Amino acid sequence: MAQSLEPELYNWIVVRTYQVVVPVVFIYLIFMLKKKGARFFYDRNQAVKTDSEKSLISWSITVWTIVMLYMTDGYVNQAILDADMDYLVRRRLFYFTKMCFLTAFMICIYTLHRLRNISFSQSTRVVLYSSTCNITMFFAQFILRGYLENDILLAAYRQVSAIHYIVCCLAILYLPLRLFIADVKLRKRDY
């Protein structure tokens, strides 16, 4: 009995961590918007001088899209799970909307980077690669659980989703932590 609760507890902890990290990073993004100005991040005519500025802009685009996904995906998932319909139709709809949301998320990141004329930062690439793995798992579950009623990949699905959340948390935390550490070192050197 304890073994069956362990993966669920692990997934619960990972999801709750993600739910804490995303708002914290969003608050940091708002702080950076106030510090640098919104034109720096989103005006195509603003000159970008260094690689660190490019990374910051790419990171901000990624965080904005993650926040939008975070704000909409949970409500849609809950509405589908609470819907009064056949469980197979609900499963199909659930996995299909998960695939659609994550695909739209990736398209938004790509499009916003092209509009700003900026290349992907390392953090953005990691998030996109992780999202691709997650979409693949959603598709497999859509076919297996939605049409074939087979739970053979359920454990792998949970692990891939948990790893996706962990990777996204680490990727969006990397730049703020790096900038914070650089700022602390600069202040120590000035004293």
Side-chain angles (χ1 to χ4, degrees):
M1 184 78 173
Q3 261 186 341
S4 66
L5 290 177
E6 190 174 305
E8 291 176 12
L9 179 63
Y10 173 70
N11 286 342
W12 182 84
I13 291 169
V14 170
V15 169
R16 294 300 174 242
T17 303
Y18 181 77
Q19 290 175 340
V20 169
V21 167
V22 169
V24 168
V25 170
F26 183 68
I27 290 168
Y28 181 78
L29 176 62
I30 298 298
F31 169 75
M32 291 304 288
L33 279 169
K34 186 173 178 168
K35 182 178 176 183
K36 297 232 179 220
R39 292 190 74 209
F40 170 77
F41 289 98
Y42 304 109
D43 187 3
R44 190 175 193 173
N45 297 325
Q46 288 287 111
V48 181
K49 299 170 186 144
T50 65
D51 286 340
S52 65
E53 287 180 347
K54 289 178 185 177
S55 292
L56 183 62
I57 293 169
S58 176
W59 172 84
S60 72
I61 290 170
T62 303
V63 169
W64 274 111
T65 52
I66 284 175
V67 168
M68 292 300 119
L69 178 70
Y70 171 76
M71 290 173 54
T72 56
D73 185 51
Y75 294 115
V76 172
N77 291 342
Q78 197 59 45
I80 291 170
L81 293 174
D82 292 342
D84 186 25
M85 62 177 73
D86 181 50
Y87 77 98
L88 281 177
V89 174
R90 191 171 48 231
R91 275 185 187 173
R92 292 176 195 152
L93 186 60
F94 177 80
Y95 290 116
F96 182 74
T97 57
K98 294 292 274 183
M99 286 187 306
C100 290
F101 268 92
L102 214 47
T103 302
F105 163 74
M106 293 173 68
I107 290 170
C108 285
I109 287 178
Y110 175 79
T111 304
L112 291 171
H113 275 80
R114 291 300 114 215
L115 286 174
R116 182 57 173 96
N117 200 19
I118 226 74
S119 59
F120 294 137
S121 67
Q122 184 179 7
S123 297
T124 301
R125 282 191 182 104
V126 168
V127 168
L128 289 175
Y129 296 151
S130 175
S131 298
T132 302
C133 292
N134 217 13
I135 287 175
T136 305
M137 190 55 74
F138 289 144
F139 180 72
Q141 288 295 88
F142 175 68
I143 299 299
L144 289 173
R145 293 192 80 211
Y147 288 99
L148 302 176
E149 296 186 60
N150 188 332
D151 290 338
I152 194 167
L153 288 180
L154 189 57
Y157 165 74
R158 288 180 177 156
Q159 290 174 353
V160 168
S161 291
I163 290 169
H164 172 70
Y165 282 124
I166 291 168
V167 165
C168 284
C169 286
L170 293 175
I172 63 176
L173 279 173
Y174 174 73
L175 184 76
L177 289 176
R178 192 182 80 195
L179 292 175
F180 178 74
I181 291 169
D183 190 41
V184 168
K185 286 181 181 178
L186 182 67
R187 288 181 187 193
K188 281 185 179 179
R189 194 177 62 197
D190 288 344
Y191 286 121

